[in-house]
């Protein structure tokens, strides 16, 4: 019976060993299958990654080929800018070498902002100047229109003045004819004389002291003319002070055709030499020291003139 128990025990140990072998084989099979699955999954991912990287490489090569083609195309545009193209190629190469890095300089941005502000200020200044020029242009246009209107008016007035000028010309021609016909008195300048007088007991006494003069006398000699006899002539004495102002006779002047005289002298001219003298009265002390003038007129024509001095 002990032998039977021993055999039974050996048989159970053999069964346990077989079972353990089977378990070990199952575990090894599971591990191998797991490794195969993991290897296959890793292989599949690697293949996908390789495919993706191949596609990316192809795209990158296409981009680089396209960029190179563009650069080659730019090379043929203009040989005069070869240096600029070389610099561009260098910059493109730098960009290719620095893909993934972005170097942004704040200082450059600030400098650009300052340049922008400077340009903005210049733009505002130019805009202000342009508006000012537009305003001036409007003013000039208004003045131009006003000037055109004035020119038109002046042309009309010129036309009127031309007509008036023609009329005046005809009148002057007629007057010239009359003047040619009319003969004037002949008075030598050497015969003209101006003097001052003061009164003593009603008697005039000649003097050259300005402060005592009460009368001014003018004397002339009219030369004879045998072609004129028995005609009434009118001459005018004009006394001028040192300031060339007309001296009036007793504060009364004589005005003829817009001209002012001191004395009107009417005489009968017989065609022979004749001396003519006449006085004007002035307030005592009204005359100042200086050089005085005596002009002799017939109508508006100056016949003779002289100067005399009072102290």
């Amino acid at each position: 019976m002990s032998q039977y128990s021993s055999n039974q025990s050996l048989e159970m140990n053999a069964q346990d060993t077989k079972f353990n072998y089977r378990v070990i084989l199952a575990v090894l099979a599971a591990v191998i299958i797991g490794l195969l699955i993991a290897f296959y999954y890793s292989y599949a991912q690697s293949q996908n990654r390789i495919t993706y990287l191949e596609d990316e490489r192809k795209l990158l090569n296409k981009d680089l080929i396209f960029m190179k083609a563009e650069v080659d195309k730019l090379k043929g545009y203009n040989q005069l800018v070869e240096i600029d193209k070389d610099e561009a190629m260098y910059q493109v190469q730098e960009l290719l070498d620095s893909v993934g890095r972005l170097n942004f300089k704040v200082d450059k941005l600030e400098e650009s902002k300052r340049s922008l502000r400077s340009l903005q200020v210049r733009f505002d200044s130019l805009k202000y100047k342009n508006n000012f020029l537009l305003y001036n242009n409007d003013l000039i246009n208004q003045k131009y229109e006003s000037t055109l209107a004035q020119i038109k008016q002046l042309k009309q007035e010129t036309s009127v003045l031309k007509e008036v000028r023609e009329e005046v010309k005809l009148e002057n021609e007629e007057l010239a004819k009359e003047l040619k016909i009319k003969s004037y008195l002949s008075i030598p300048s050497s015969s003209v004389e101006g003097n001052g007088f003061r009164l003593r007991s009603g008697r005039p006494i000649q003097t050259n002291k300005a402060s005592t003069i009460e009368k001014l006398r003018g004397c002339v000699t009219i030369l004879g003319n045998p072609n004129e006899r028995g005609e009434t002539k009118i001459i005018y004495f004009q006394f001028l002070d040192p300031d060339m102002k007309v001296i009036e006779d007793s504060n009364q002047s004589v005005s003829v055709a817009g001209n002012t005289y001191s004395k009107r002298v009417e005489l009968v001219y017989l065609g022979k030499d004749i001396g003519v003298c006449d006085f004007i009265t002035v307030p005592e002390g009204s005359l100042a020291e200086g050089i005085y003038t005596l002009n002799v007129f017939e109508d508006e024509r100056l016949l003779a003139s002289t100067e005399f001095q009072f102290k």
Side-chain angles (χ1 to χ4, degrees), residues 231-279:
E231 295 182 6
T232 300
K233 298 287 187 179
I234 298 175
I235 61 175
Y236 299 93
F237 287 168
Q238 185 185 62
F239 290 94
L240 301 178
D241 64 11
D243 296 328
M244 304 306 290
K245 295 181 180 179
V246 178
I247 302 173
E248 299 177 349
D249 181 16
S250 299
N251 294 325
Q252 293 181 354
S253 60
V254 179
S255 296
V256 179
N259 297 320
T260 303
Y261 306 106
S262 303
K263 188 75 172 183
R264 179 179 183 273
V265 181
E266 185 175 342
L267 57 97
V268 177
Y269 182 57
L270 300 177
K272 297 180 180 180
D273 292 354
I274 181 175
V276 179
C277 293
D278 211 329
F279 289 88

Side-chain angles (χ1 to χ4, degrees), residues 192-241:
V192 181
E193 183 181 356
N195 296 302
F197 290 84
R198 62 184 178 86
L199 298 179
R200 177 181 291 179
S201 300
R203 294 173 55 193
I205 299 174
Q206 185 174 340
T207 181
N208 62 354
K209 189 175 182 180
S211 61
T212 62
I213 293 175
E214 299 179 59
K215 289 183 177 293
L216 292 176
R217 185 184 71 175
C219 293
V220 298
T221 299
I222 301 173
L223 299 180
N225 185 356
N227 295 325
E228 295 187 11
R229 295 182 181 179
E231 295 182 6
T232 300
K233 298 287 187 179
I234 298 175
I235 61 175
Y236 299 93
F237 287 168
Q238 185 185 62
F239 290 94
L240 301 178
D241 64 11

Side-chain angles (χ1 to χ4, degrees), residues 144-195:
Y144 176 72
E145 295 295 335
S146 176
T147 303
L148 287 180
Q150 293 178 0
I151 290 174
K152 184 177 180 181
Q153 183 179 358
L154 287 174
K155 286 182 178 179
Q156 295 175 353
E157 292 178 355
T158 301
S159 178
V160 174
L161 288 174
K162 186 176 181 182
E163 295 177 358
V164 173
R165 189 184 303 164
E166 293 296 331
E167 295 178 358
V168 172
K169 184 177 179 181
L170 293 175
E171 292 179 357
N172 288 337
E173 289 177 354
E174 293 178 358
L175 182 59
K177 291 179 181 178
E178 292 179 359
L179 292 176
K180 288 180 180 179
I181 296 173
K182 181 176 180 178
S183 61
Y184 289 90
L185 298 174
S186 179
I187 300 176
S189 296
S190 59
S191 69
V192 181
E193 183 181 356
N195 296 302

